[in-house]
Amino acid sequence: MRFPLRIAAVVVVCVACAISLRSGAESPESAASTQVKQAAFTHASSDDAGTQSVRFGRQPSRLGDRIEQNVQLEMRMKLTMRRESELVGNNQTTVRTKQRRVIVATAVEGGTIMAARVQYPEATKQATAADGAAKNGEVSAAYQPVAQPVQGKTYLCMREPGENGKLNVTDETGNRPPTEECDIVVAQMDMIGRSNPLAQFLAGREVKVGESFELPKELASRVFNLGDKFGEVTHFELTLRKVSVENGAKCAEFLANVEAAANGASQMRLQVEGPLVVQADTCRAVRVDLDGPIGMSETRGSYSTSYQVIGTGHLKTSVAATYREAQHD
């Protein structure tokens, strides 16, 4: 059944976008221009003067800045189909995706990336499936990793003027790519031309190890750009666990707790948590590892033949980002 694969495709795009260009640099002017409601901090229980703390800053992007992102996802989903009290069928699917993309800023205005070139050296998907007839969870079908439409290709992305300007995507020759390719690139490069919500919230703040805070919904929804298909972020809490140095940069490691839900024709729910590592001086997210349960419910078919699809599963995803600043004379 293709339905679980469709859900996995939506989720991997959503989670990958969470620290895509959203974790990039932002100009001080763009952050100051947006008013954000103050979030409530829960301070650490210890008042020890030796408690570690970190102050966050921001750094404008420059022409030629380079970001390399490695994204991996595994999602297991068990689907049960029922018509009233009758069991129509059930199956279980595991989807694994792996992607490496390289983003280079090709136009910068006011410290914000307005255009970029994105390359996909690697983008694969693998699936295994077991239907209701399989015994002891035996796999009834296992597929070799296959290339996603964007693998091995390069795209040029440019945001039209204005906060809500359209993101235009072309191939290297200036032609519009096929829809399936364009949809992937648009979703993953959504933050071109937009401010970094983490910098907008954290820059200028000093946070102690043990402090917790919940991001305002308007910012949380921009960090995790789930879109209409998966609903909205209902809860996004960060707790500072430790301050460390990674690749020569001072970093803050947060425990992130994220909940999202959609309550339309398809009801979905996602609840994941794990470490989110942010560079202190730039508010760039360099690493995130999230896992947790995912569930969905949907009615399919016509009135006389309708049946309920109920899915439960587990999502595990990781994104690692490396930044290389352009060298200018």
Side-chain angles (χ1 to χ4, degrees), residues 112-182:
T112 298
I113 297 175
M114 299 301 296
R117 182 177 69 252
V118 56
Q119 299 172 295
Y120 289 86
E122 182 179 12
T124 61
K125 181 194 299 185
Q126 181 183 27
T128 60
D131 59 31
K135 297 180 180 179
N136 300 319
E138 293 178 1
V139 173
S140 57
Y143 306 97
Q144 294 298 317
V146 297
Q148 293 180 299
V150 296
Q151 177 167 285
K153 298 179 182 179
T154 299
Y155 303 90
L156 306 177
C157 308
M158 178 175 288
R159 175 76 63 186
E160 293 180 355
E163 180 68 16
N164 296 316
K166 180 182 177 182
L167 181 64
N168 295 314
V169 177
T170 68
D171 60 21
E172 290 184 282
T173 62
N175 295 315
R176 179 179 172 83
T179 300
E180 60 179 352
E181 297 177 30
C182 194

Side-chain angles (χ1 to χ4, degrees), residues 33-95:
S33 64
T34 305
Q35 298 298 318
V36 179
K37 184 174 66 175
Q38 178 74 31
F41 280 73
T42 302
H43 291 278
S45 57
S46 173
D47 291 327
D48 185 351
T51 299
Q52 280 187 302
S53 65
V54 60
R55 179 173 291 276
F56 293 91
R58 60 167 64 90
Q59 180 174 309
S61 293
R62 298 198 298 175
L63 188 68
D65 281 357
R66 183 178 185 271
I67 308 168
E68 180 174 337
Q69 298 172 332
N70 290 277
V71 184
Q72 295 188 61
L73 175 141
E74 178 181 288
M75 194 189 76
R76 302 189 306 272
M77 178 68 76
K78 180 178 181 180
L79 293 180
T80 302
M81 286 70 76
R82 290 185 176 275
R83 182 176 293 114
E84 296 182 348
S85 60
E86 177 188 2
L87 178 64
V88 178
N90 62 76
N91 60 38
Q92 183 169 317
T93 301
T94 300
V95 177

Side-chain angles (χ1 to χ4, degrees), residues 4 8 22 35 44 61 65 101 103 113 147 214 235 244 247 273 302 310 312:
R22 298 181 183 279
Q35 298 298 318
S61 293
D65 281 357
R101 53 183 181 250
I103 304 142
I113 297 175
E214 182 172 353
H235 177 75
S244 60
N247 297 320
E273 70 173 13
S302 62
I310 299 173
T312 57

Side-chain angles (χ1 to χ4, degrees), residues 227-240:
D228 296 336
K229 292 183 179 180
F230 202 79
E232 63 178 11
V233 175
T234 57
H235 177 75
F236 182 19
E237 183 179 69
L238 294 175
T239 301
L240 182 58

